[in-house]
Amino acid sequence: MEQTSKRTRIVIIGAGFAGLRMARSLNNTAYDVYLIDRHNYHEFQPLMYQVATARLEPSSISFPLRKVFHHTRNVHIYIADVQRIDTAGKVVHTSVGDVAYDRLVIALGCTTNFFGNQRIESHAFPMKSVPNAMALRNRILQTFEDTIVAGPAERQALLNFVIVGGGPTGVELSGAMAEMKKYILPKDYPGIDFSRLTIYLLEGSPNTLNAMSEPSKIKSRQYLEKLGVIVRTGTVVEDYDGEKVTLKGGETIAARNVIWAAGVTGNQIEGIPATSMVRGNRLKTNRFHEVEGLDAVYAIGDIAWMATPKYPNGHPQLANVAIAQASSLAHNFKQELSGKPRKEFEYRNKGTMATVGKRKAVVDLPHISFQGFFAWLTWMFVHLMLILNVKNKLFIFLNWMMSYFANDSTLRLMLRPDTDS
């Protein structure tokens, strides 16, 4: 692997929102940029739940990294697993060899947090990657195939879907499944009584979308309950054995399908000292994104934790924050090339939003909050603008429009490896 260069080498670990924006911002500059990720594509996570519910194909929200950098002179891509970081020797050890760095940018993001419960981790479905979403899609569709031939004793357990976590992912997935129940599944499976299909949304805090405004919290719950979702807040899941969900207090729910969207934790990296990490395995940084206690190591995106006067407890783990941090760090690197001073990071809140179904969404902007049809249009517009290329924007828009007018999706294919000999 190439190791020598007279130019400053910046190694970026992770091609999520932060890592990809960082590499694109440094494209065709005087830096040598090495982007390392285990996948050869960037995943658009906000729409992953639509892949899981057969509304979009994975190719619609996945973008090949080498395609993104077709016209670059200085960005190099390695598809590899990061095994260890030697911060003293300034080397990243990967599954395809060692990569030396002058500056290291960690943008690895987060993974699903099962809070140390191994049984839940073994049996529940996460949704943090395209393969996760595809596995969940296969499982959802296979469940209804199994329901056709299931006996009375197990049928209800198959028809109970438990979604744990009332943040944007849990709310959006619950709404999408409720619309599948209403519009799509009865036509595909006329022999199943879908009045028995029960969607539970369990949230440990007092509200759904607990980080949003009061009107959005209230309205999101109203939308979900109108769609038939059983919303239970202040409810903590203690265990799941693959057949039975056990709640704090001893109550149980028979369910063959549990989807875990209850929290995230930073991806751990061997070689980073514990003194540089805070709660949730996030890396503590200063206002210039430098990781505390480490030389020439930076962190941006969900894995970074930075205290500012406006955000004394760290920034929310949102795509907008990740993109803003990447742009800030890239700007400072470019400033250094021309001998100009760096600028401290300050996040300007652009708002948060979530959709609950057709014509149902909630939007919180810095000075206004609104819900309903216009919020739904706003949600669609913002997400389309964040999609990387025009072709994918068009495909997604057409899928949405066909789904809107036909109340149907043509993407209900179970795609998995053929295990026949």
Side-chain angles (χ1 to χ4, degrees):
M1 186 171 292
E2 181 185 355
Q3 296 292 326
T4 60
S5 174
K6 295 180 181 179
R7 308 200 315 173
T8 299
R9 174 180 291 194
I10 298 174
V11 173
I12 303 169
I13 303 175
F17 283 109
L20 185 64
R21 173 57 65 93
M22 183 79 191
R24 295 180 77 190
S25 297
L26 295 176
N27 187 24
N28 295 328
T29 62
Y31 290 112
D32 277 333
V33 179
Y34 288 73
L35 180 61
I36 303 174
D37 196 276
R38 66 187 307 176
H39 300 300
N40 74 335
Y41 54 86
H42 165 75
E43 303 171 320
F44 189 81
Q45 287 195 353
L47 294 181
M48 213 164 280
Y49 80 95
Q50 295 204 5
V51 174
T53 52
R55 293 186 173 202
L56 292 175
E57 286 293 3
S59 58
S60 298
I61 65 163
S62 307
F63 308 92
L65 296 176
R66 297 192 185 278
K67 174 72 173 177
V68 175
F69 295 100
H70 264 189
H71 304 290
T72 185
R73 298 192 306 269
N74 67 317
V75 178
H76 313 277
I77 297 167
Y78 289 138
I79 308 306
D81 288 310
V82 173
Q83 298 169 333
R84 183 170 61 87
I85 296 171
D86 177 2
T87 56
K90 292 189 174 181
V91 175
V92 178
H93 299 280
T94 80
S95 57
V96 298
D98 297 344
V99 185
Y101 66 84
D102 297 303
R103 312 271 182 87
L104 176 64
V105 180
I106 300 175
L108 269 176
C110 289
T111 188
T112 304
N113 189 357
F114 292 99
F115 304 99
N117 192 311
Q118 295 295 320
R119 287 223 296 180
I120 293 177
E121 185 173 355
S122 297
H123 297 291
F125 280 81
M127 205 172 62
K128 289 295 292 179
S129 68
V130 167
N132 286 165
M134 286 301 297
L136 179 55
R137 178 167 108 175
N138 289 338
R139 178 57 177 263
I140 290 171
L141 296 175
Q142 184 62 53
T143 293
F144 301 121
E145 301 296 331
D146 294 342
T147 302
I148 294 172
V149 297
E154 62 177 332
R155 188 169 295 138
Q156 191 58 53
L158 286 166
L159 290 174
N160 286 344
F161 284 81
V162 177
I163 299 167
V164 185
T169 299
V171 166
E172 291 175 344
L173 183 60
S174 298
M177 291 202 63
E179 291 194 328
M180 282 183 73
K181 170 186 175 180
K182 182 177 181 180
Y183 297 115
I184 296 172
L185 295 173
K187 292 183 285 187
D188 279 3
Y189 303 95
I192 298 176
D193 177 10
F194 281 101
S195 66
R196 298 179 62 183
L197 173 57
T198 309
I199 302 162
Y200 296 87
L201 178 61
L202 310 182
E203 165 59 33
S205 73
N207 306 284
T208 55
L209 302 179
N210 202 52
M212 295 187 71
S213 68
E214 200 63 30
S216 293
K217 295 175 190 176
I218 294 170
K219 202 67 177 177
S220 64
R221 181 166 190 157
Q222 289 176 352
Y223 284 148
L224 287 168
E225 290 178 339
K226 189 175 181 180
L227 285 167
V229 178
I230 297 176
V231 180
R232 297 183 56 175
T233 53
T235 302
V236 177
V237 174
E238 287 196 332
D239 195 19
Y240 177 56
D241 61 5
E243 296 188 1
K244 180 177 63 180
V245 179
T246 303
L247 309 181
K248 188 174 183 179
E251 183 184 351
T252 62
I253 301 171
R256 294 290 179 84
N257 295 291
V258 171
I259 302 158
W260 194 263
V264 294
T265 184
N267 283 301
Q268 290 186 301
I269 316 156
E270 187 179 343
I272 299 296
T275 52
S276 298
M277 294 188 287
V278 297
R279 184 182 177 185
N281 292 330
R282 298 173 77 179
L283 304 182
K284 187 176 182 180
T285 74
N286 61 19
R287 299 285 294 277
F288 298 106
H289 312 284
E290 296 167 320
V291 176
E292 187 174 273
L294 297 177
D295 177 44
V297 179
Y298 304 78
I300 53 176
D302 287 355
I303 201 169
W305 187 92
M306 176 196 297
T308 69
K310 289 184 180 179
Y311 296 91
N313 298 314
H315 295 89
Q317 291 164 296
L318 301 171
N320 281 336
V321 176
I323 290 169
Q325 290 183 343
S327 298
S328 167
L329 182 55
H331 172 77
N332 284 342
F333 282 168
K334 288 188 279 191
Q335 288 287 92
E336 289 181 26
L337 286 174
S338 53
K340 296 178 181 178
R342 300 183 298 173
K343 185 178 179 180
E344 289 187 335
F345 177 71
E346 187 61 72
Y347 177 60
R348 293 177 177 82
N349 182 16
K350 296 180 180 179
T352 54
M353 58 188 68
T355 182
V356 189
K358 187 165 69 173
R359 299 189 295 272
K360 301 178 184 69
V362 294
V363 174
D364 288 349
L365 298 181
H367 304 293
I368 187 173
S369 176
F370 53 99
Q371 301 81 35
F373 181 68
F374 183 63
W376 180 68
L377 291 177
T378 302
W379 179 91
M380 285 200 301
F381 175 78
V382 168
H383 283 74
L384 280 175
M385 290 304 100
L386 287 172
I387 294 294
L388 284 184
N389 62 51
V390 174
K391 184 180 78 171
N392 287 62
K393 291 179 198 286
L394 181 61
F395 283 169
I396 291 172
F397 179 75
L398 289 175
N399 267 297
W400 284 349
M401 288 303 98
M402 286 189 289
S403 177
Y404 179 83
F405 289 109
N407 284 324
D408 201 357
S409 164
T410 58
L411 305 176
R412 294 183 297 281
L413 306 177
M414 289 184 284
L415 302 174
R416 50 196 173 197
D418 190 346
T419 56
D420 292 344
S421 58

